[in-house]
Amino acid sequence: MNTSLAQKLKNLPNSPGVYFHKSTSGEVIYVGKAAVLKNRVRQYFQANRDIDAKTRALVAEIEDTDWIETDSEIDALFLESEMVKRYMPRYNILLRDDKSQLYVRIDIKSEWPHVSFTRNPADDKARYIGPFYNGHALKKALRYLRKVFPYYTKPPGTHRVDFDVHLGLSPRSDMTSQEYKSSLKKLIRYIEGDKLTITRELERDMNRAARQQQFEIAAELRNRLGYLRELQRRIMFGDKEFLDISKDRALDDLRLLLGLASIPARVEGYDISHMSGTNVVASMVVFTNGVSDRTEYRKFKMHKEQNNDFANMFETLSRRFSEKNRSRWKLPDICLIDGGKGQLDSAITARDQAGLTIPMIGLAKQHEEIVVHLERSRVRLDHKVLERLDGHTMTSDKFTLISLPHSSHIVKLLQRIRDESHRFAVTYHTTLKRTSQTKSTLEDIPGIGPVTRKKLIKAFGSLRGIEQASQTDITQVVGDKLAQRIISFVKS
């Protein structure tokens, strides 16, 4: 261990957090979480510690260590998962002892979904969250969160009342399927980083129940808020809450390669999703200091349905850079467009018409090449940096295609942003597609107008949800007479 690192380890805090071991080149070679950073990180360098060969090899490569403090162990767990996906450190693979990653599985389409864990996601329409790399810690975190968002751990029986209900770990016996699913969706959003919004929603619901003199429900929501606050505030990725950004190799290399004025603290990624020009949507994902910042994500539904990704990208960026959205949302330091020359050119045109000078690049899928417009991308390619990164270029039609090794920090970062924008766009497109299918079917039922259709879609989400709902559940939404008509039509 070098003198600089030894001095640095003396300043380790006693708080929970995530730590990053780095090699001589600055590469992040291992990401881990700790309940107490001071104790956990120092363990690696204890001379008399009995460690296996793989860990010994890791320690031999460690030249520097950084860390992020979090407000709770649960926050550290979720942040660790995000950072492993962000950096893909090689020792996280080597030290996993051949264990696969763990996912949280929620069969959200069932009438009474339950939460479970799996190492092998299946194409069964269930919701999978992950992957996570510490199964024991993940299960412990979900046990704590169960007090805030009560859920079943196995398919409930006919009567549903069990001992966990009395402990507040399973949903109340008088809770409807829709209310239960709404609670589960909050759990999913919490895991994905939207805790502040969820806290505000729980406070709003508690105050509403109190005004309506539903004091038992208000008390339950008060208790859930208390449990949530015990977990402390979910870490938000602000400029001062992440690692020293100048030490992030991918962001710094990106700045140098493209000649940016400063390290791109806010990167926005865009993608288009549709099926033959129907249910056309776009996603905007935000990475702050190299980490996904889900509270800043936005989605767009195209005003005009067309099978033209260039026109759809132009509309998306035009709306994003409208005067209203520029004042509501922060402007990015650079934009990443999922696609090649055409998509990038359309995005740049929208930016230019908005009178902005934000740098823009694309990422072509086939060979993971960075696409840059020679005159309009607002970047200055540094060929010395390109050579240092073992990259090369090819120029045609005023565009330069930059090829870097797929193992490089820059490519890993851009792939992560591109994949996240694709996932977010496809998820929104799938939701709209199911909703439109449900809507078209409901239009065939006599007496079901737009207002009633909207209520049903909001309550059950899809035609399958309506088919699986009981007549009692549907009656609570539209009344007994319409419920009987819907039931008889759907069953037939």
Side-chain angles (χ1 to χ4, degrees):
M1 178 170 55
N2 61 63
T3 305
S4 174
L5 178 57
Q7 185 62 36
K8 196 171 188 179
L9 295 181
K10 293 179 181 179
N11 298 319
L12 281 162
N14 290 311
S15 59
V18 175
Y19 57 91
F20 305 77
H21 290 321
K22 298 182 177 182
S23 66
T24 305
S25 65
E27 175 192 3
V28 176
I29 57 177
Y30 185 78
V31 174
K33 64 173 268 308
V36 180
L37 281 166
K38 186 174 184 178
N39 297 342
R40 181 69 186 98
V41 177
R42 285 183 173 182
Q43 286 179 346
Y44 286 92
F45 306 99
Q46 293 174 357
N48 60 349
R49 183 169 173 79
D50 184 21
I51 57 177
D52 58 46
K54 292 178 182 177
T55 305
R56 193 176 298 112
L58 164 65
V59 174
E61 277 199 59
I62 297 174
E63 182 70 17
D64 190 18
T65 297
D66 275 311
W67 57 84
I68 305 173
E69 294 181 62
T70 61
D71 293 316
S72 72
E73 291 181 54
I74 290 181
D75 293 336
L77 170 70
F78 296 148
L79 181 58
E80 177 198 34
S81 175
E82 173 65 37
M83 300 309 280
V84 170
K85 286 184 281 188
R86 159 72 171 81
Y87 287 106
M88 293 184 279
R90 46 193 168 89
Y91 276 99
N92 282 85
I93 307 299
L94 290 173
L95 297 177
R96 209 163 52 218
D97 295 329
D98 298 325
K99 292 180 181 177
S100 56
Q101 305 152 347
L102 196 65
Y103 292 80
V104 180
R105 180 187 183 275
I106 303 178
D107 57 331
I108 199 70
K109 297 298 181 183
S110 300
E111 184 177 6
W112 297 100
H114 69 284
V115 177
S116 59
F117 303 94
T118 181
R119 297 191 184 278
N120 299 298
D123 186 14
D124 57 1
K125 299 188 188 294
R127 181 69 183 272
Y128 290 89
I129 311 165
F132 295 93
Y133 304 88
N134 188 322
H136 175 74
L138 174 63
K139 293 174 182 178
K140 184 178 179 182
L142 265 293
R143 284 200 297 272
Y144 286 133
L145 288 172
R146 196 176 177 190
K147 293 182 178 180
V148 185
F149 310 102
Y151 60 79
Y152 294 114
T153 57
K154 58 184 179 181
T158 308
H159 300 292
R160 292 202 300 118
V161 178
D162 57 19
F163 187 61
D164 285 340
V165 173
H166 301 293
L167 296 178
L169 301 178
S170 291
R172 304 186 317 270
S173 58
D174 63 340
M175 182 178 281
T176 65
S177 173
Q178 285 66 46
E179 290 172 335
Y180 173 49
K181 288 183 179 181
S182 177
S183 176
L184 277 183
K185 289 174 182 177
K186 286 185 173 68
L187 170 64
I188 293 171
R189 286 165 52 200
Y190 178 93
I191 296 174
E192 294 180 341
D194 199 13
K195 180 175 178 179
L196 295 181
T197 304
I198 293 169
T199 302
R200 288 195 291 266
E201 290 176 357
L202 287 174
E203 289 175 342
R204 179 200 64 199
D205 295 342
M206 178 185 69
N207 293 331
R208 180 189 298 159
R211 287 195 302 270
Q212 296 174 352
Q213 298 185 353
Q214 297 175 326
F215 299 117
E216 289 186 7
I217 295 177
E220 179 191 346
L221 292 171
R222 178 202 61 203
N223 293 339
R224 291 170 64 181
L225 273 170
Y227 288 130
L228 194 58
R229 286 171 178 143
E230 284 179 19
L231 301 176
Q232 301 297 324
R233 178 180 57 84
R234 167 77 177 168
I235 186 169
M236 301 301 293
F237 302 111
D239 292 342
K240 297 179 181 179
E241 292 175 317
F242 187 54
L243 295 169
D244 181 352
I245 192 171
S246 65
K247 296 178 182 177
D248 188 294
R249 177 57 60 88
L251 293 173
D252 195 39
D253 281 348
L254 190 64
R255 173 184 68 86
L256 295 172
L257 178 65
L258 301 180
L260 304 178
S262 60
I263 290 178
R266 180 183 172 105
V267 183
E268 292 183 1
Y270 294 88
D271 190 21
I272 305 293
S273 181
H274 60 87
M275 182 175 288
S276 301
T278 60
N279 296 311
V280 186
V281 300
S283 64
M284 179 187 101
V285 301
V286 178
F287 276 60
T288 303
N289 296 341
V291 180
S292 64
D293 192 350
R294 291 181 176 86
T295 59
E296 295 290 318
Y297 286 14
R298 299 294 183 268
K299 53 193 178 187
F300 305 85
K301 188 178 187 305
M302 298 299 100
H303 293 149
K304 182 179 180 181
E305 301 258 289
Q306 54 185 325
N307 190 8
N308 185 335
D309 283 353
F310 303 161
N312 294 328
M313 187 63 73
F314 175 81
E315 179 184 334
T316 300
L317 272 297
S318 296
R319 289 166 60 183
R320 192 273 175 259
F321 292 133
S322 65
E323 188 174 342
K324 180 181 72 172
N325 289 335
R326 273 187 278 177
S327 61
R328 292 166 59 200
W329 311 333
K330 296 178 182 178
L331 288 177
D333 296 306
I334 190 171
C335 293
L336 176 67
I337 308 302
D338 183 9
K341 301 175 185 177
Q343 288 91 336
L344 177 61
D345 186 68
S346 298
I348 289 174
T349 300
R351 178 208 63 190
D352 292 346
Q353 290 186 7
L356 299 173
T357 59
I358 297 166
M360 283 189 169
I361 60 175
L363 187 64
K365 288 186 177 70
Q366 188 172 3
H367 301 294
E368 307 290 28
E369 294 170 321
I370 302 171
V371 185
V372 172
H373 194 287
L374 291 174
E375 301 170 355
R376 303 169 60 207
S377 272
R378 302 287 181 177
V379 301
R380 300 185 307 276
L381 184 60
D382 189 320
H383 289 277
K384 290 184 179 179
V385 176
L386 181 68
E387 184 178 352
R388 173 174 66 81
L389 296 173
D390 295 326
H392 62 274
T393 63
M394 182 178 68
T395 301
S396 66
D397 300 329
K398 295 187 178 181
F399 286 90
T400 293
L401 303 180
I402 305 171
S403 295
L404 296 173
H406 288 187
S407 60
S408 72
H409 291 283
I410 293 178
V411 171
K412 287 181 180 180
L413 172 63
L414 298 184
Q415 283 176 332
R416 173 81 177 111
I417 298 171
R418 188 271 314 282
D419 292 347
E420 184 68 354
S421 64
H422 180 70
R423 179 200 64 80
F424 194 49
V426 169
T427 299
Y428 184 35
H429 166 72
T430 303
T431 299
L432 290 183
K433 184 173 69 173
R434 288 173 180 166
T435 301
S436 63
Q437 290 171 345
T438 303
K439 180 180 177 181
S440 62
T441 301
L442 294 177
E443 286 177 346
D444 295 332
I445 305 177
I448 304 298
V451 175
T452 304
R453 286 199 302 271
K454 186 175 180 180
K455 288 181 179 178
L456 289 166
I457 292 170
K458 184 177 181 180
F460 302 104
S462 66
L463 182 62
R464 184 178 179 186
I466 297 172
E467 291 173 345
Q468 294 178 343
S470 66
Q471 184 167 331
T472 302
D473 292 337
I474 299 176
T475 298
Q476 291 178 349
V477 177
V478 299
D480 185 57
K481 186 176 180 180
L482 283 179
Q484 292 180 17
R485 188 177 300 168
I486 293 168
I487 288 291
S488 61
F489 183 89
V490 169
K491 299 302 181 185
S492 64

